[in-house]
C-alpha cells in the first residue's frame, strides 16, 4: 500500500460533510500522525485536539470506522490490518455535542461529573498530622479507576447512554463515583454513590462491555458499575428492580442451582406489575411453549456442595 | 471430538429449541457432547453484583466439573461463555485467588486446576471442526437466503477475556453463514447490543435498542437474523412485538439460533429444530430454502 485516505467528518458550526484526504503511507505511525500531517500539509482549517501525544492528556479521542480510539495511541498499521482497507472514516466521538470537526464539547459532561463529588471528603475528626495512610490492599482497590485520563472514549459507543443520555451517566462518571466511594480515606461514600443510583441510572447498564473495550488505558467502567451496585446494596438500597433481579438469580442458584424463569418477573417486579404489564408477553410465550408454568427446576446433583460454597464464601468475607 | 457441554439456564427453559437443535447438529456432525452433571447457573452477569467471590467460586465449580471429565467445556451462550472465561482468567492469572477459591471448593469436594478450556460452539466449528469439514456435511445449501449475522456482545467483548478474534471487525459468524451457502447482508448493528441484561430495570430503552437492531437488519434486506447467543435470540424475538410499539416502521424479522441455521443446512427438519417455537413466524425463512 502506498497511499492512505482519511474520510473525515467536518462541521463548521452549521454545515456537516465528509471530506477525503489522501497522503503517502508510512510504517509505524499513529492515527494522530495522519491528522497532524493533513493539517500541516493539506488543510489548516481541520480542527482536532491533541497535546501530549503519549496517551496521557486524554485530548485526542476520535471515532475511527465507528469505534472510539485515542488517536495518539492507535497504530495505523493495526487498523489497516483489522479493516483490510486503505481508507479510514474518522468522526468526532459520539454522544458529545460537536463544536467543530473532531472537537467536542466537554463542559456539560464535566459539570455532570461534579454530581458524584469526584474529590476526597475526609473525616474532620482525623488527626491531620498523621496523614491519610492507605494499605497496599486499599490502594489496589482504587488503582484501576484512578487510571482514567478522561478521554471520553468509553461514552462514544455506550449502548445505554446512546438511547438515554439524560437518564444514564457517562461510564467515566461511574468510574469516578466508584473510585471515591471505595477510597479508604474518604468519609462520605454515600455522597459519591447516591447520585449514581438516583440520577445516573446505575441499574440501567446493559453490560455491552463497550466501555471496557474502548478504554485505551485498561480502565473497566463496567466493573466499577458492578462495584457500585454492590456498595449500594450494602448501604441498604435493595428495593429496586435491579437489586431484586440480581437477588432472584442469587437465591435461585442457592435453592436449586439454576434460574427459575417463571418466577423471575415476579421476584423482580412484584405481583402487581407482573400481572398488569407482563400478561401479553406471558400469553405469547405460553402459546409457543416457551413458558412452562409446571416446570420447577429440581435441585441439581451436588446442590449441598453448592450451598456449602455459599456458606464458605460468606464466612471468608466476614473474616 | 468430545466436549463437556454446559447448556446454561435458558436452554432448559424458554430456549429449549436451542438445546434440541444443538444436540441434533452435534450428532449430525459427529461431535460428542457430554452434558455436565450438576452444572449451575453462571450468574448471568448479575450474581457478581451481589458477591463477586461467590460468582467466581460457582463458576470455578462449573469448570472443575469439566476438568473431572478431562474435557474442554463447550457453551452455546455468549454470557455463559463470558462468565466462565472471566472466572477462568481470574483464577489462572492470580494464584492467591485460585488458592482461596480452592480452599472453598475443596471443602465441598471440588478442585479447580485450570486444565479445561472454555469455548463456544461458534469457535469450535471454525477452529477445531473446520469449515471445510462442515461444508462436506451440508445437504441443503441455504442458497438465496439473506442473513444478518448478529454476534451479541459477550462473544466479542471484553476482548482481553474473549479474544477469539478482533472485536472491532470479527468475521467468524459471516464465514460460517457463508459456508452454509447463505448470503450475508451488511447492516449497521451487527456488533451492537440486544439490551437483554437490562430488560427489567430499563425496559423502555431496551425495547428501543432491540427494535433498532431488528430494523437495521430488515432494512439491509435480510430475510432473518442469526445469533450465536440464546439471550440475544430471546430478546430480539420474544420482545419484538413490544419493541414494535415504539416504531412506525415495520420491524418484523425472524431471529434464528445459530444451531438452527446450521441444522437447516444439514438437512434437519424444521420440527426437529424447533422452528415453530418462535414468536416471530419463521415460515418466510423456510420458504426461501425448502423450495
Ligand atoms: S494527545 Fe494526549 S492522549 Fe492523545
Amino acid at each position: 500500500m502506498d497511499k492512505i485516505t482519511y474520510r473525515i467528518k467536518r462541521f463548521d458550526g452549521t454545515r456537516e460533510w465528509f471530506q477525503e484526504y489522501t497522503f503517502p503511507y508510512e510504517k509505524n505511525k499513529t492515527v494522530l500522525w495522519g491528522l497532524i500531517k493533513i493539517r500541516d500539509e493539506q488543510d489548516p482549517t481541520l480542527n482536532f485536539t491533541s497535546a501530549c501525544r503519549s496517551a496521557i492528556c486524554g485530548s485526542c479521542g476520535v471515532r475511527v470506522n465507528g469505534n472510539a480510539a485515542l488517536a495518539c495511541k492507535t497504530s495505523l498499521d493495526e487498523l489497516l490490518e483489522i479493516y483490510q482497507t486503505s481508507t479510514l472514516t474518522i468522526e468526532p466521538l459520539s454522544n458529545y455535542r460537536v463544536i467543530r470537526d473532531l472537537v467536542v464539547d466537554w463542559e456539560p459532561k464535566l459539570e455532570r461529573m461534579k454530581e458524584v463529588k469526584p474529590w476526597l471528603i475526609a473525616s474532620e475528626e482525623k488527626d491531620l498530622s498523621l496523614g491519610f495512610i492507605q494499605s497496599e490492599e486499599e490502594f489496589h482497590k482504587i488503582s484501576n479507576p484512578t487510571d482514567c485520563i478522561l478521554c471520553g472514549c468509553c461514552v462514544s459507543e455506550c449502548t445505554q447512554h446512546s438511547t438515554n443520555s439524560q437518564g444514564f451517566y457517562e461510564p467515566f462518571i461511574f468510574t469516578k463515583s466508584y473510585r471515591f466511594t471505595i477510597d479508604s480515606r474518604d468519609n462520605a461514600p454515600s455522597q459519591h454513590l447516591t447520585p449514581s443510583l438516583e440520577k445516573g441510572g446505575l441499574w440501567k447498564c446493559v453490560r455491552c462491555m463497550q466501555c471496557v473495550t474502548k478504554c485505551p488505558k485498561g480502565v473497566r467502567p463496567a466493573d466499577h458499575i458492578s462495584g457500585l451496585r454492590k456498595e449500594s446494596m450494602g448501604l441498604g438500597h435493595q428495593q429496586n428492580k435491579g437489586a431484586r433481579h440480581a437477588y432472584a438469580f442469587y437465591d435461585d442458584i442457592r435453592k436449586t442451582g439454576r434460574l427459575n424463569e417463571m418466577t423471575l418477573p415476579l421476584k423482580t417486579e412484584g405481583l402487581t406489575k407482573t400481572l398488569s404489564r407482563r400478561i401479553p408477553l406471558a400469553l405469547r410465550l405460553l402459546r409457543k411453549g416457551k413458558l412452562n408454568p409446571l416446570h420447577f427446576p429440581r435441585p441439581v446433583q451436588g446442590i449441598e456442595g453448592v450451598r456449602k460454597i455459599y456458606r464458605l464464601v460468606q464466612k471468608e468475607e466476614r473474616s | 471430538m468430545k466436549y463437556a457441554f454446559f447448556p446454561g439456564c435458558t436452554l432448559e427453559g424458554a430456549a429449549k429449541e436451542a438445546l434440541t437443535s444443538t444436540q441434533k447438529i452435534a450428532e449430525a456432525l459427529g461431535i460428542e457432547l457430554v452434558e455436565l452433571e450438576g452444572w449451575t447457573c453462571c450468574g448471568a452477569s448479575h450474581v457478581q453484583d451481589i458477591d463477586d467471590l461467590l460468582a467466581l467460586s460457582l463458576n470455578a465449580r462449573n469448570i472443575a466439573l469439566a476438568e473431572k471429565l478431562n474435557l474442554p467445556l463447550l457453551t452455546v451462550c455468549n454470557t455463559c461463555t463470558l462468565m466462565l472465561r472471566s472466572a477462568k482468567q481470574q483464577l489462572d492469572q492470580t494464584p492467591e485467588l485460585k488458592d482461596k477459591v480452592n480452599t472453598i471448593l475443596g471443602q465441598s469436594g471440588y478442585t479447580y486446576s485450570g486444565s479445561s478450556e472454555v469455548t463456544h460452539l461458534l469457535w469450535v466449528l471454525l477452529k477445531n471442526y473446520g469449515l471445510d469439514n462442515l461444508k462436506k456435511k451440508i445437504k441443503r445449501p441455504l442458497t438465496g437466503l439473506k442473513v444478518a449475522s448478529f454476534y451479541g456482545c459477550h462473544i466479542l467483548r471484553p476482548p482481553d477475556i474473549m479474544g477469539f478474534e478482533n472485536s472491532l471487525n470479527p468475521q467468524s459468524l459471516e464465514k460460517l453463514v457463508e459456508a452454509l451457502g447463505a448470503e450475508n447482508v451488511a447492516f449497521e448493528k451487527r456488533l451492537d447490543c440486544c439490551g437483554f441484561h437490562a430488560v427489567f430495570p430499563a425496559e423502555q430503552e431496551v425495547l428501543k435498542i432491540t427494535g433498532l437492531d431488528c430494523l437495521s437488519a430488515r432494512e439491509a434486506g435480510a430475510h432473518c437474523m442469526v445469533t450465536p447467543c440464546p439471550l440475544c435470540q430471546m430478546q430480539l424475538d420474544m420482545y419484538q412485538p413490544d419493541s414494535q410499539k415504539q416504531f412506525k416502521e415495520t420491524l418484523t424479522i425472524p431471529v434464528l439460533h445459530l444451531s438452527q441455521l446450521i441444522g437447516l443446512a444439514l438437512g434437519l427438519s424444521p420440527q426437529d429444530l424447533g422452528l415453530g417455537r418462535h414468536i416471530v413466524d419463521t415460515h418466510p425463512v423456510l420458504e426461501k430454502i425448502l423450495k
Side-chain angles (χ1 to χ4, degrees):
Chain A
M1 180 189 326
D2 35 302
K3 297 232 179 291
I4 306 181
T5 301
Y6 279 9
R7 228 181 119 244
I8 300 183
K9 188 162 187 189
R10 306 287 313 264
F11 176 61
D12 63 6
T14 43
R15 207 167 56 91
E16 270 181 14
W17 72 100
F18 277 95
Q19 191 161 343
E20 289 194 0
Y21 301 93
T22 300
F23 48 95
Y25 166 82
E26 282 183 42
K27 239 182 26 205
N28 296 332
K29 296 295 184 192
T30 64
V31 172
L32 182 61
W33 166 82
L35 289 173
I36 294 172
K37 194 169 173 66
I38 292 167
R39 190 176 53 193
D40 285 354
E41 296 173 11
Q42 299 188 32
D43 187 349
T45 72
L46 179 66
N47 283 286
F48 57 90
T49 46
S50 72
C52 73
R53 303 188 197 183
S54 311
I56 289 169
C57 73
S59 63
C60 67
V62 291
R63 222 172 173 223
V64 187
N65 284 12
N67 292 297
L70 209 53
C72 72
K73 190 178 185 245
T74 306
S75 147
L76 264 182
D77 290 323
E78 270 173 35
L79 286 181
L80 302 175
E81 170 68 26
I82 289 169
Y83 293 111
Q84 293 289 308
T85 178
S86 59
T87 301
L88 296 172
T89 299
I90 308 206
E91 297 165 273
L93 290 176
S94 196
N95 292 323
Y96 285 77
R97 189 182 76 82
V98 180
I99 299 173
R100 285 286 186 282
D101 299 337
L102 305 175
V103 182
V104 296
D105 185 4
W106 268 89
E107 272 319 302
K109 309 267 185 212
L110 297 178
E111 262 317 299
R112 194 181 201 191
M113 193 169 78
K114 288 184 193 158
E115 290 176 4
V116 302
K117 303 197 176 159
W119 50 80
L120 279 177
I121 304 173
S123 163
E124 304 240 324
E125 287 99 63
K126 281 238 171 142
D127 183 347
L128 293 181
S129 64
L130 295 175
F132 289 81
I133 296 166
Q134 279 191 305
S135 70
E136 193 179 332
E137 200 183 326
E138 285 165 346
F139 169 74
H140 280 305
K141 285 191 186 159
I142 60 164
S143 147
N144 181 273
T146 308
D147 283 345
C148 173
I149 57 170
L150 288 177
C151 65
C153 288
C154 58
V155 191
S156 184
E157 282 83 56
C158 169
T159 304
Q160 180 59 252
H161 193 83
S162 301
T163 29
N164 179 21
S165 63
Q166 291 312 302
F168 191 68
Y169 275 166
E170 288 73 2
F172 65 79
I173 300 187
F174 286 116
T175 287
K176 287 278 181 239
S177 166
Y178 178 70
R179 181 241 174 283
F180 288 98
T181 298
I182 55 149
D183 192 309
S184 61
R185 299 164 297 179
D186 193 275
N187 195 42
S190 70
Q191 292 194 41
H192 308 295
L193 185 147
T194 315
S196 288
L197 186 68
E198 290 176 353
K199 295 183 179 173
L202 181 60
W203 288 96
K204 291 187 178 235
C205 164
V206 293
R207 314 218 68 91
C208 64
M209 299 291 154
Q210 288 283 12
C211 55
V212 176
T213 304
K214 301 299 161 60
C215 176
K217 302 299 281 187
V219 176
R220 307 184 84 88
D223 292 356
H224 306 147
I225 288 174
S226 273
L228 282 170
R229 289 174 174 181
K230 186 176 177 180
E231 295 296 322
S232 75
M233 290 186 277
L235 288 172
H237 301 286
Q238 295 188 356
Q239 288 315 315
N240 55 65
K241 277 189 219 167
R244 285 197 300 262
H245 194 62
Y247 267 103
F249 282 83
Y250 181 90
D251 294 338
D252 280 356
I253 300 176
R254 182 162 48 194
K255 202 163 147 209
T256 67
R258 294 179 195 165
L259 176 71
N260 184 343
E261 284 177 343
M262 272 301 292
T263 52
L264 185 62
L266 281 175
K267 287 182 182 169
T268 306
E269 302 185 311
L271 186 64
T272 330
K273 174 98 194 280
T274 304
L275 286 178
S276 64
R277 310 261 326 252
R278 301 276 164 209
I279 294 290
L281 174 71
L283 288 176
R284 207 149 73 213
L285 301 185
L286 280 168
R287 250 197 317 273
K288 296 287 181 164
K290 285 196 153 271
L291 206 58
N292 179 359
L294 302 175
H295 173 76
F296 286 98
R298 278 201 307 275
V300 298
Q301 187 180 319
I303 188 69
E304 271 317 315
V306 174
R307 291 177 191 152
K308 195 159 184 194
I309 291 174
Y310 272 73
R311 289 196 294 276
L312 293 167
V313 166
Q314 279 165 359
K315 202 168 132 204
E316 167 74 33
E317 278 163 350
R318 273 197 303 271
S319 69
Chain B
M1 290 179 85
K2 196 171 172 182
Y3 291 89
F5 179 41
F6 182 95
C9 300
T10 319
L11 266 68
E12 287 219 312
K16 212 164 250 148
E17 70 282 356
L19 178 64
T20 44
S21 53
T22 301
Q23 288 166 335
K24 297 264 182 215
I25 65 159
E27 196 185 316
L29 294 172
I31 300 174
E32 195 181 336
L33 298 181
V34 187
E35 181 172 335
L36 277 180
E37 193 87 65
W39 61 268
T40 66
C41 172
C42 69
S45 87
H46 298 297
V47 173
Q48 80 210 33
D49 291 348
I50 297 174
D51 190 330
D52 42 2
L53 182 61
L54 178 71
L56 180 66
S57 305
L58 290 171
N59 282 327
R61 176 186 170 279
N62 280 325
I63 303 171
L65 294 172
E67 290 178 354
K68 256 194 184 156
L69 301 175
N70 247 325
L71 291 173
L73 188 158
L74 179 140
T75 61
V76 285
C77 168
N78 289 5
T79 297
C80 293
T81 314
L82 171 59
M83 293 297 113
L84 291 160
R85 285 182 69 89
S86 159
K88 183 170 171 55
Q89 192 193 58
Q90 291 175 63
L91 295 164
D92 292 351
Q93 289 183 355
T94 331
E96 312 86 68
L97 200 56
K98 186 172 160 184
D99 289 347
K100 194 192 222 177
V101 166
N102 267 333
T103 314
I104 293 168
L105 290 193
Q107 295 179 58
S108 45
Y110 309 96
T111 330
Y112 172 88
S113 74
S115 59
S116 282
E117 270 313 304
V118 175
T119 186
H120 186 286
L121 176 69
L122 173 65
W123 301 350
V124 164
L125 291 174
L126 262 101
K127 196 172 134 203
N128 309 86
Y129 196 83
L131 293 183
D132 288 337
N133 288 328
L134 178 68
K135 278 185 195 162
K136 288 181 202 145
K137 303 269 183 180
I138 289 176
K139 300 217 173 80
R140 186 198 288 140
L142 307 178
T143 320
L145 186 69
K146 292 188 179 174
V147 176
S149 294
F150 186 88
Y151 281 80
C153 299
H154 293 167
I155 202 162
L156 301 169
R157 295 185 289 267
D160 59 345
I161 299 175
M162 303 316 283
F164 178 77
E165 57 195 319
N166 189 285
S167 70
L168 301 180
N169 189 22
Q171 296 296 323
S172 60
L173 193 52
E174 284 82 358
K175 281 187 189 154
L176 181 57
V177 165
E178 200 181 293
L180 302 175
E183 182 190 330
N184 284 290
V185 300
F187 70 117
E188 196 199 326
K189 304 281 183 187
R190 77 176 181 117
L191 307 180
D192 277 30
C193 177
C194 70
F196 176 82
H197 288 293
V199 68
F200 285 103
E203 190 180 356
Q204 291 313 308
E205 297 91 324
V206 166
L207 291 177
K208 175 142 183 246
I209 292 164
T210 302
L212 289 170
D213 292 337
C214 296
L215 192 61
S216 164
R218 190 183 154 98
E219 289 189 338
H223 300 128
C224 67
M225 295 173 87
V226 69
T227 169
C229 178
L231 305 181
C232 294
Q233 195 280 341
M234 255 192 344
Q235 183 62 34
L236 298 170
D237 179 51
M238 263 168 43
Y239 287 93
Q240 218 179 96
D242 301 301
S243 285
Q244 182 63 68
K245 293 187 192 132
Q246 296 201 11
F247 289 81
K248 281 202 284 299
E249 307 90 330
T250 307
L251 302 179
T252 314
I253 188 160
V255 186
L256 269 60
H257 296 284
L258 178 62
S259 49
Q260 290 176 318
L261 195 76
I262 297 171
L264 286 171
L266 295 178
L268 298 172
S269 77
Q271 290 77 13
D272 275 352
L273 299 170
L275 283 157
R277 286 174 47 92
H278 289 227
I279 298 304
V280 180
D281 188 12
T282 54
H283 277 99
V285 177
L286 300 176
E287 277 157 25
K288 290 275 165 221
I289 54 175
L290 304 177
K291 282 166 269 184

